[in-house]
Amino acid sequence: MITTKFVNGVRTKHKGRHPKHRTVNEWLLLAVAVLCGIAVFAPFGLIILNAFKSSKDYSSNGPLSWPTSISFDAFVDYLGRVDFPQALWNSLLISTLVAVIAVTLSLMSAYPLGVGRVKSSGMVLAVLLVATMLPHESLIYPLFYGAQATGTFNTVWSVIIVFSVLQAAYGTYLLSSVMGAIPKELIEAAQLDGAGRWQILWKVLVPILKPSLSVLVVFFFIWTWNEFYIPVVLLSDQSSQTIPIALATLRGQHNIDITVLNAGSLLSLVPTLVFFLLFQRTLVRGVAAGAVK
Amino acid sequence: MRSISRRQALGGLGALSLTALTLTACKAAGGGSDKFTILQYEDPTTPQGQGWQKAVELFKAKHPDVTVDVQQTSFDAFRQNAKILLSGNTVPDVVEFNKGNADGGQLASQGLLEPLNDAVTKFGWDKKVSGSMAAFAKYDEEGKAGSGDWYGIPNVGEYVYFYYNKTKFAKAGISEIPTDLASFEDAMDKLQAVGELPISSSASTSQGFNQMWIWYSLVSAEASRKDIDDFMFIRDQVNFNSGAWKDGTERFQQWIDKGYIGSQLGGLSFEQATVNFLSEKAAMLPWNNGMFARIREDASFDWGFFIMPGAQLSMGSSGHLWGVPAKSKNKDLAYDWIETTLSPEVQNLIGQKGGLPLAGDTETISDPLTKELTERFDEVVKADTLSFYPDYPVPGFLDFIQNHMQAMSNKNESADEYLDALQEFYDKGTKD
Amino acid sequence: MSKGLAPTLRRPSGYWLYLLPIFIGFLAVVAVPFGTNIYFSFFRWKGGAAPMHWNGLNNYSTLLADTEFWNSLRNSIFMVIAIVIIPTVIGLLLAALLTDTIGRRFGPRIASFLRATYYLPQILPIAVAGFMWSWILDPANGAINTLLHSLGMDGPDWLGNPDLAIYSVMLMLIWLQIGYPLVIFMAALSRVDPELYEAAALDGAGKWRQFVAISMPTIRPETFIVVLTATVAALKVFAPILILTGGGPEGSTVVPSFYAYRNFFELSQVGYGSAISTVMALVIFAIAALMLWWQRRQEIR
């Protein structure tokens, strides 16, 4: 209740700037930002450029030239070679579930560390962070035998469990740091209103943390989407393979099909990009909710 | 004994901790005996890939009650994970695995693959796969190739040669394909004289194999069968500072110094070298038949190919191998699958697509260029002059050689220095 | 909702319940596997079903004398510069620029659009990114050298020259990394009340002064997060190296994770590889713990 009032209070104030009178300096700064954007985007231009070329065009003119004609062969080839719908479904399922589970897990574990300030919370965090430090090769044997023993091998569940935990370790650290910066008064006020621990977490903290939570959802989704090594070992069955694994099958020992690889990468980028753009709006909307003095 | 108890212990530990999380998780897809799983990593558009699709059809017709599950992985993924995957409880029934001591040799010596001797005798596979084509199908108890039990059966072969741009050769006034190394060097001088880069190459540690293949081709060119077999199968002591090793490596350095191979190769991959050849920036490309279909499709100029002129031996080997995991539940079906891939229908189809089958009939190939490619290959197989690939004998050899290829290409290392390092690495690697 | 709950709230022990799920998951996915990894590091073992030979601490003593390992550790410093320092600084400036000047003066749409653009490299599968960069850095026909050539200069062999390759790799890593701090910082800056800036502007504070006095303190927790997590990422960076240079030229870009990977797979020395990852995990743990301790101290102040 308190937060709603709080949020409304800020919203009403968030006005009163006129987008007129832009100074020369501001235009210059915009130019800098746009130039940086172009520089960052340039390598993607190469991917787009080469995805729409025929293999012959790419081979004879190299990757930097304009396509002599627009060709969709590479896309057709990719979709014919890889079970794209299946891989897309697996990737969506895994990434979405991991994002949701890991964010919930992070929120719950960050609560006692960031707000509760339980004893030796620093130590707990440091130990949790070990999860983000270990090279995956060093975890793979036990994970493999564990997945086999529990019957989750070759099912998406093994990967979902592993990444929910690995990502949640990161999320716990991020959220506990941000929670630590939330003023105590806010929580105390809620306590006086008679809110329990569980309610404070969901009704007071979650709204304030919304921007950070969105960031985590985006990160977890994308990171999990692009994971390769652990999925490739735990999901050897084609029916549970993910998109990066499908993409990797385009690479042979002594040959590689670049235009198809580019087309495939472009297709595999689309879901993550859409996901990011969707959540961008939440990030912006989070502005008002997050205003804490 | 020890390894079994370790694995059980691990499994137990893993089970204990993971069950807590997976009370609701699905059951694994049970590998019933009516399901037959094939794991392989050939691109379905390659000749071998197309042949195997045909094989699946034939196999299904022969075993209508069996569900065939063909799984596609990638070369790199299988290379990394074979040891882990094949030691699990649920394994594929038949797998394609990588030849060489570091790969197939280890799988064989660790007992992850089933010895195939009985099946080889029963089906007569040794008639179809023999000589140098069978060398990397057999491994001894230590996992060294060349002798011991059969563990794998290859379907095809491969060899390394030069693709060349006929227009550029004509421009330089080269009317005939060189017949020995001296005339080859003359030809390259002529190409340089008209401003053409003779050879497109690459030496990146990330996929820049061309330099390594040129180097080893030059060594093979002057080597005897015994030189190569000693090196490859770790038989007699190899002295790298003598004979073909020394001569070939020194010639390789001369080629670098004369600029036959171009400069700034340390960051280039084979893909870049291929595009440089196809976009007419160089007159020749050393590569194997894996690029045949692509060159044919993509080259916008007249081209041909020839093996290293005047070479006593040249690079090439069998393809990767079919093997049966020791834990396969359908071994008889697996043998029948391998037999299917060696059947005339499949082998001749692979041949017609340009895939160099080991048991195909070259006469059934109608396309003249494909036929020529196959005939050249049949000749070198028959003459037993293939020298394999240089990185097979010792684990980690590929990285080692690649790093020195970069150093030599950057002119940071001389032939002598490389040979000394090679001696040390090889002796150390073959000792244990 | 009843007031009776309040006393429980003050008792800190109840909070531990919230840690139970992550505790179980951590045990299964991290603790047990890492313990096993340490166990492996005491053996000579080729992996798979190969026999394990007890080797005591020999893997560790070999490691301490292994110049290639120390070399790889030295390269980690370059990785920290490319993944932590430069992107954090640029990310901070860009985030402030996007939130403040561009977001408020040119509209949030442009700001969001630019943010998405900067973040794109993080979305791209690394295998494809690496491939594109090898064309950008190609000495003969690459994008950069073609540009230099048109300006009358001869470009170097970016990825082939052992004195230069590490800087080329850094260039790609910066490109790859920028989006990460940017997104975090922008979310953090959204917590700042715009009124504060307006008040400061009325007091005559310039843009830079506002940034230092208002923005920086607000986003301090995030700055710690970015620096700490990026440091961890820098110390275990792997895939970009594998794909772009494979550790070369002439071993000049080998980093610890890559070295461990090579031992695991190329050389089939799983015991030694485990020793490397154990040592690296300890090194990273020590650094992270130090940074956490520092963060706590700063927060208390």
Side-chain angles (χ1 to χ4, degrees), chain B residues 2 6 10 17 79-80 83 106 110 112 205-206 264-268 272 276 281 395-396 399 403 406-407 410 412, chain C residues 28 36 46-50 52 134-135 138-139 141 157 160 162 242-243 245 248-251 261-262 265-268:
Chain B
R2 189 158 200 172
R6 175 187 49 75
L10 274 179
S17 40
R79 183 153 189 242
Q80 281 173 22
K83 269 189 275 182
Q106 285 213 22
Q110 292 187 6
L112 296 172
T205 3
S206 176
Q264 298 193 322
L265 302 174
L268 294 186
Q272 286 162 305
N276 286 342
K281 294 193 173 73
D399 270 352
N403 268 308
Q406 277 177 328
N410 286 335
N412 291 338
Chain C
T36 318
K46 287 186 171 178
M52 296 173 83
S134 63
W135 273 118
D138 180 306
N141 315 304
D157 187 0
L242 174 76
I243 285 152
T245 66
E250 300 169 46
Y261 170 88
R262 241 179 71 191
F265 297 112
E266 287 287 328
L267 303 170
S268 294

Side-chain angles (χ1 to χ4, degrees), chain B residues 361-392:
Chain B
D361 179 2
T362 307
E363 290 311 310
T364 60
I365 302 172
S366 52
D367 174 68
L369 201 58
T370 308
K371 195 170 180 184
E372 192 193 334
L373 178 85
T374 315
E375 282 169 350
R376 288 295 88 73
F377 177 68
D378 291 345
E379 283 164 20
V380 286
V381 170
K382 208 166 161 220
D384 195 23
T385 56
L386 287 175
S387 63
F388 312 105
Y389 289 80
D391 56 308
Y392 291 166

